[in-house]
Amino acid sequence: MESSGNRGCAGGCGAFLRSRKGLVLLGEIALCTVALLCYGASRTPGYVGLAVCELIFASIAVVLCITGLHHRVALVHWGWTDFIRCVVGCLLFLITSLIVIIGHRDGAGTAAGVFGLLAGLLLGYDAYISVPTRGGHSAAPTETPEGP
């Protein structure tokens, strides 16, 4: 009896991770991990904090979505929370990656900057697909109710 419950959980996890949002979050986690390793190996380890924070935030988002906790906790608007996480991460990754690529000349730092740019672009795409009002509203009618 327990195996069917575990299979249901594994099926739910697998179904989310195969969805577009799941794949984007897994890509964010992978790129943040690679950027973290490159920043750690470079001469500029001060930028590690951004990669660590975004890695933790993306991991929390995956856990929330897999467990369905974002549906059960109605106190927080998770759509806007995820959107703001993505926008802030996108801007911070783009800015710090450009600073590292332009200002530092070691190989690991340049690689970290490139992976940071890719993570910033992926976070920007995630922000685009997670806008809560995208497709939720229709245009208001322009005619008067009485007719033309």
Side-chain angles (χ1 to χ4, degrees):
M1 193 167 232
E2 288 180 61
S3 63
S4 65
N6 291 339
R7 217 174 328 139
C9 178
C13 295
F16 171 73
L17 294 177
R18 284 189 301 269
S19 69
R20 180 171 53 169
K21 181 70 174 176
L23 290 174
V24 169
L25 282 171
L26 286 178
E28 289 173 14
I29 290 172
L31 285 173
C32 287
T33 303
V34 172
L36 172 68
L37 294 174
C38 291
Y39 278 132
S42 73
R43 293 186 201 129
T44 57
Y47 297 108
V48 168
L50 174 62
V52 168
C53 288
E54 282 302 319
L55 179 65
I56 290 170
F57 292 152
S59 300
I60 289 171
V62 166
V63 169
L64 286 173
C65 290
I66 286 176
T67 59
L69 192 61
H70 64 290
H71 293 298
R72 289 181 268 183
V73 179
L75 183 67
V76 178
H77 192 290
W78 294 108
W80 283 110
T81 302
D82 190 43
F83 175 72
I84 291 170
R85 174 194 67 86
C86 295
V87 169
V88 169
C90 172
L91 293 175
L92 289 177
F93 259 121
L94 292 178
I95 291 168
T96 56
S97 296
L98 288 175
I99 289 171
V100 169
I101 288 173
I102 292 170
H104 300 75
R105 296 289 175 214
D106 64 334
T110 303
V114 169
F115 284 116
L117 280 175
L118 291 174
L121 292 174
L122 189 60
L123 281 161
Y125 175 72
D126 193 6
Y128 173 73
I129 65 171
S130 67
V131 176
T133 59
R134 198 182 110 224
H137 298 288
S138 59
T142 57
E143 296 179 2
T144 61
E146 295 84 33

